[in-house]
Structure formats: structure tokens, C-alpha cells
Amino acid sequence: MDISARQKMLSAISGSLLTSLLVTPLDVVRVRLQSQGAPQVYTADLSKLVASTPNAFRPSSLGVTACCREVFFMNNNAEACVVGPRIEGLGGSAAPGDCAIEQTQKKAFNSTLDGMRKIARNEGLTTLWRGLSPTLVMAVPANIIYFTGYDWLRFNKSSPINKVSSDGYAPLIAGAAARVVAAGAVGPIELFRTRLQASSGDSTTNHLANTFKGIKEMVVANGYRSLWRGLTLTLWRDVPFSGMYWWGYETIRGKLTDIRAERRGRPLVREDGSRTRARSRSQSRENHTATFMDSFTAGALSGAFASIMTMPFDVGKTRTQIFRDPAKIPYANAEKTTAPEQRSLVQLLWHIVRTEGVAGLWKGWVPRTLRVAPSCAIMISSYEIGKRTFRSMNERAARKQHES
């Protein structure tokens, strides 16, 4: 028995809430790792970075530690710091700039666990869940569109995909098409969340207001279309990800279903030249435990593989979305040059390779994989369990109605 669209939406919402709560800390660390740029070797001679007009800054309100109140890290970038002229008067025998170097080392993340530890210690534990609200606002409608759209495109008899594609490639095409619609719908929320998570500092800092201010300045300078900045890279990342994920998910889960049927001595028989209907019928008869284990395993494996394969596009998307117009940054070079983040996809990725090496394209792959694999597993297993529960409810209601 089929379930209604409303029941599918409720199944998607439950998975969205659970996934967002569990994996947001890994997402925050991923964004920070990808936005910190290439590692640099710093020395104590920071005379070239001394501000020419220090009155433009208010060191007491910069949210930097007490020993370094005169140091300001612009745009969460340790390469661009402004050292006030009074740093020599902070006391002690340390050379001018030593404190800035110390703060630079505190801000640099060497690994996923190192990033989580430093964020929790320097900015507060709750910072690891920064961006949770926009994540929920984005995840709920995105997953409703994504999962219900995939179900319709994949299994509905009136779907154009079922009419023009073979059964083997239908999951790949349906997953890619559903992701295009979902990504376009939540593009501005994704931009806001990425910028909010990229901002650093104490938890008392008004990050929300600063993020809104930055987005407002971006819209004034570049128009409302800039709210979808990074959408092209998002699609480059998410469309192949979704295609690989759903193809891998259905393949792995189908194999698990075949193995379970063979162990019971009832191998699946092809119907109309396809195993899909036989597998769906067998899966509908499984108990909740089997449904959860198979969907969780298939979701985690396919999600991890798709995540690693699409990492370069994820790095490019993050760099593009957190990029700020150079004209808005104080003391920026007056010469008008096009930043790599303002160029095409190929040029941006090539710039990352030249400046950071090939490894720069996979920066943050560990936290992203640790986030994507369990989130895919939790999301799809919650969705499948929800559908299984609603289908059982509908069957019981239909039997009662038939008996009466």
C-alpha cells in the first residue's frame, strides 16, 4: 500500500531534525578548515601590517583576547591582521607581533579534532552548533523537496524519467533532478548559514547581526542575484553527489535485500525483466530492524563515497560564499584585481591547486565525510522507517475499514 505525500513529508522532517542536531559541529569545522586558506609561516616582524589609520578600529570591541587587544584578524583570515601602534606597550619582553603570532596559531586548525577542541576552548562549546537555526530552516524544506521529489521521479508511473531511462540509470537521473530543484530553493539560506559558520570569535560576539550586515552590503553592491552566490558550485557538488548517492544506495540496498532473500531460501524472481518490483515487494515485508539496518548501511557507504568524489566542488563553494568584496575590506589594495573567487569554476580550482597543492581541493574532507556519511545514513533510515510506519498504519486502517 502506498503512502500519501503528507506522510512522506513528515518522514523527511523527522530525519532532518535528527541529522541537523548531530552533524552541525562537523559542518562548522569543515567550513573553518576550508576558509583558512593555505598554511603560512609567520615571523615576529609584522611592521608591514601596522595600520596606517588605527583610529578606524576599536580594539576593545574586537573580541580578541586580553593580551592581544591591539590585533585584529580581518575576515577570519590569519594572513591579514592589523597590528595597532600601541602593541609595544602591552608589557613584557615579547617582541612586537609575538602576540599576533600566538593568536594566529590558536586560530589555525590542523585536523578535525583540533578544530573542534580549539573552537570549544576559544569560542565556547555552543559555537560548534552555530548556524543550527538556518540549518534547520534550510534542511526541512530542502529534504521535503528532495526526498518526495525523488520518490515521485523514481517510482511514479507518470514520471518522465521512468518513460525515457532504463531501470539501472533511473536512480542517478532522479536524484540529480531532485537535487537541482532543492538546491535552488534554499540557495540564500545556504549562503547565510555558510557565512555564519565561517565567522569566528567569542560566543558573545553578535555574529548574527554581522552576518546580516555583510549579506546586505553584498546585495547592495551586486544585486539580489548574489544571494545565490555559489549556487553553480553547489550544483556542481550536489548534482553528481545525488546521482552517485542514489545509484549507490539502491544498488547496495538491493544487494542486501537479495542476500537476505537467498538466506531464507526464497531468491527474488525477475518480474517484467526487472528486479526493482520484486525487491520493493520484499523490502515492504521486512520488519523495522531489517529496514533500518539495510538503509543505514547503504546510506552511509554511498554517502561517504559520493562525498569524497565531490570534495573539490565543496571547497570551491565554501570559498565563493564566504568571499567578501575587496572594496569592503579596510586597507585593501586599491588596485582593482579580480579575485579567484570571482572567476570561473575552473580558474578558482586551478588557483587553489597552484597556491595550496592538490591537497587543497580536498581540504576538510575528513569532517565532511564524517558529517555526510552518518547524516546520509540517519536521514535515509529515518525516512524509510517513517514510510514503513505510515504504510503499516494505512494497511491496518484499510483492514479495519474492509472488516466493517
Side-chain angles (χ1 to χ4, degrees), residues 269-299:
V269 180
R270 292 179 179 270
E271 296 185 8
D272 301 327
S274 173
R275 280 186 179 267
T276 302
R277 187 176 302 175
R279 284 173 172 171
S280 297
R281 182 174 299 175
S282 177
Q283 291 168 1
S284 67
R285 296 169 180 167
E286 295 172 352
N287 57 34
H288 286 70
T289 301
T291 299
F292 174 81
M293 292 301 297
D294 286 3
S295 58
F296 190 93
T297 302

Side-chain angles (χ1 to χ4, degrees), residues 7-25:
Q7 291 172 330
K8 292 180 181 179
M9 291 180 184
L10 291 175
S11 301
I13 290 174
S14 63
S16 299
L17 296 175
L18 184 59
T19 301
S20 300
L21 289 171
L22 293 177
V23 303
T24 294

Side-chain angles (χ1 to χ4, degrees), residues 42 84 96 103 120 128 163 190 210 218 238-239 296 309 328:
Y42 297 96
Q103 292 299 305
L128 291 171
K163 298 178 181 179
E190 167 76 7
N210 291 337
M218 180 189 68
D238 288 355
V239 171
F296 190 93
M309 295 300 294
K328 302 297 181 182

Side-chain angles (χ1 to χ4, degrees), residues 70-88:
E70 306 296 333
V71 181
F72 176 50
F73 293 96
M74 294 193 300
N75 194 26
N76 191 34
N77 191 343
E79 298 176 27
C81 66
V82 177
V83 183
R86 293 177 295 171
I87 193 169
E88 295 87 349

Side-chain angles (χ1 to χ4, degrees), residues 90-107:
L90 289 175
S93 59
D98 282 350
C99 191
I101 297 173
E102 180 184 351
Q103 292 299 305
T104 297
Q105 294 172 347
K106 287 183 179 180
K107 290 169 66 68

Side-chain angles (χ1 to χ4, degrees), residues 19-227:
T19 301
S20 300
L21 289 171
L22 293 177
V23 303
T24 294
L26 292 168
D27 209 31
V28 172
V29 176
R30 173 189 65 84
V31 171
R32 296 288 188 88
L33 278 170
Q34 292 175 348
S35 62
Q36 71 180 9
Q40 300 288 334
V41 178
Y42 297 96
T43 64
D45 184 11
L46 301 178
S47 58
K48 295 182 180 180
L49 296 176
V50 174
S52 58
T53 56
N55 291 332
F57 296 94
R58 300 292 182 269
S60 61
S61 62
L62 292 180
V64 188
T65 56
C67 79
C68 255
R69 280 197 294 261
E70 306 296 333
V71 181
F72 176 50
F73 293 96
M74 294 193 300
N75 194 26
N76 191 34
N77 191 343
E79 298 176 27
C81 66
V82 177
V83 183
R86 293 177 295 171
I87 193 169
E88 295 87 349
L90 289 175
S93 59
D98 282 350
C99 191
I101 297 173
E102 180 184 351
Q103 292 299 305
T104 297
Q105 294 172 347
K106 287 183 179 180
K107 290 169 66 68
F109 300 154
N110 301 317
S111 65
T112 302
L113 292 178
D114 180 62
M116 296 181 72
R117 184 176 63 253
K118 288 181 177 178
I119 290 174
R121 183 179 63 211
N122 299 328
E123 305 176 39
L125 185 63
T126 56
T127 305
L128 291 171
W129 278 269
R130 180 176 294 163
L132 178 60
S133 297
T135 297
L136 292 174
V137 173
M138 177 186 70
V140 170
N143 283 328
I144 288 176
I145 296 171
Y146 183 43
F147 282 90
T148 58
Y150 174 82
D151 268 356
W152 186 86
L153 291 171
R154 177 69 178 93
F155 300 109
N156 195 287
K157 294 181 180 180
S158 59
S159 168
I161 292 178
N162 286 330
K163 298 178 181 179
V164 299
S165 64
S166 64
D167 190 64
Y169 295 101
L172 192 150
I173 300 174
R179 176 53 67 183
V180 170
V181 179
V186 299
I189 306 176
E190 167 76 7
L191 173 70
F192 176 82
R193 183 191 66 161
T194 302
R195 287 199 168 203
L196 185 64
Q197 291 178 336
S199 62
S200 64
D202 296 334
S203 58
T204 56
T205 307
N206 196 352
H207 299 284
L208 191 63
N210 291 337
T211 303
F212 272 118
K213 181 181 178 182
I215 291 179
K216 182 180 178 181
E217 292 174 350
M218 180 189 68
V219 171
V220 171
N222 304 300
Y224 285 100
R225 291 184 62 183
S226 61
L227 290 174

